[in-house]
Amino acid sequence: MASLEDRKLFKVINILIDGEQIFEILEIQKPDFLLIDTELPNAGGYGFLKKLSRIRPQTKVIIYSKLTTPDYLKVFLSSPASGFIQQGCGIDEFVTSLQSIFSGNRLIFSQINEPQNKYTGIKKSVYDLSTLTEREMDVWELLMEAKTEKEIAEILFIGTSTVRTHKNKIAEKLDIKGKKKLSTVALFNN
């Protein structure tokens, strides 16, 4: 944090070692952004994020986590958090992700560590989800759960051709080339 603060991107106003302290600090210091390491004791889960947004809705929450399971990312996607950054990324990737979030984008940064992967074209993924419509987000979330087009259509009560249209729009907006690659991204994020 100190090395990042030197870059003049932000000012660190407090570093906490227990999540229970967050709520009193929010009221006193009123930060614009709150970076939460999911390994911080007493700070985790959907209920915690909802409580944060109720107490101080102006503070944008950024989750920093090594967890990238489908269930965890689904919690993030349905939460009021503004960003998700996977632990282990380089300092430049971290800074770029923060700058994007500071600019108002909702972002997931996930670094895929699969060196023997046959899909070598997909290693690191940064997706600005703020460009997606609500329905496209629904489709994206179901893709992240590795649902087929038919399953997505049934869950959302739409036709499979409509699902394909949404997938094409998602791929276009997130700059993911080809339908096969979009499915691969969802697979790796799972």
Side-chain angles (χ1 to χ4, degrees):
M1 284 289 114
S3 66
L4 289 175
E5 194 173 21
D6 290 343
R7 293 184 184 209
K8 306 289 186 228
L9 294 172
F10 56 84
K11 179 181 177 198
V12 175
I13 58 172
N14 213 322
I15 297 176
L16 305 174
I17 57 171
D18 191 309
E20 290 180 357
Q21 301 168 317
I22 289 175
F23 299 107
E24 60 190 64
I25 295 298
L26 278 176
E27 286 301 314
I28 297 167
Q29 297 183 335
K30 300 178 179 9
D32 294 326
F33 292 90
L34 178 64
L35 178 67
I36 297 179
D37 186 328
T38 56
E39 294 188 17
L40 180 69
N42 300 313
Y46 185 75
F48 185 82
L49 292 172
K50 282 296 226 188
K51 185 175 178 182
L52 281 173
S53 70
R54 274 194 319 273
I55 289 175
R56 178 132 171 94
Q58 306 91 325
T59 298
K60 307 262 187 285
V61 176
I62 304 165
I63 300 170
Y64 184 64
S65 178
K66 65 182 174 185
L67 302 172
T68 57
T69 64
D71 289 339
Y72 194 79
L73 287 177
K74 188 170 184 179
V75 167
F76 163 73
L77 288 169
S78 62
S79 79
S82 297
F84 176 94
I85 303 173
Q86 184 179 351
Q87 290 178 7
C89 65
I91 191 79
D92 290 334
E93 295 156 331
F94 187 77
V95 167
T96 300
S97 296
L98 285 179
Q99 288 173 323
S100 181
I101 294 165
F102 292 165
S103 297
N105 298 320
R106 190 162 193 239
L107 178 126
I108 292 178
F109 175 87
S110 178
Q111 182 170 340
I112 298 159
N113 297 315
E114 295 279 342
Q116 299 194 1
N117 193 323
K118 66 180 181 176
Y119 302 103
T120 55
I122 302 174
K123 290 279 184 209
K124 295 178 185 171
S125 307
V126 178
Y127 304 113
D128 179 2
L129 302 178
S130 65
T131 62
L132 301 182
T133 65
E134 187 175 334
R135 184 52 107 187
E136 289 165 350
M137 278 299 298
D138 294 339
V139 172
W140 172 261
E141 289 175 24
L142 293 167
L143 285 170
M144 296 297 283
E145 294 175 20
K147 301 286 187 200
T148 65
E149 286 181 358
K150 184 178 178 190
E151 290 171 322
I152 294 170
E154 289 172 1
I155 292 167
L156 298 177
F157 303 105
I158 57 177
T160 53
S161 62
T162 305
V163 173
R164 276 195 275 322
T165 299
H166 286 307
K167 283 175 64 176
N168 289 336
K169 289 286 189 187
I170 292 166
E172 181 183 317
K173 288 179 178 182
L174 300 182
D175 196 28
I176 300 170
K177 307 290 187 229
K179 292 177 192 171
K180 180 79 170 171
K181 208 151 188 176
L182 180 60
S183 299
T184 306
V185 167
L187 173 71
F188 282 129
N189 277 302
N190 277 331

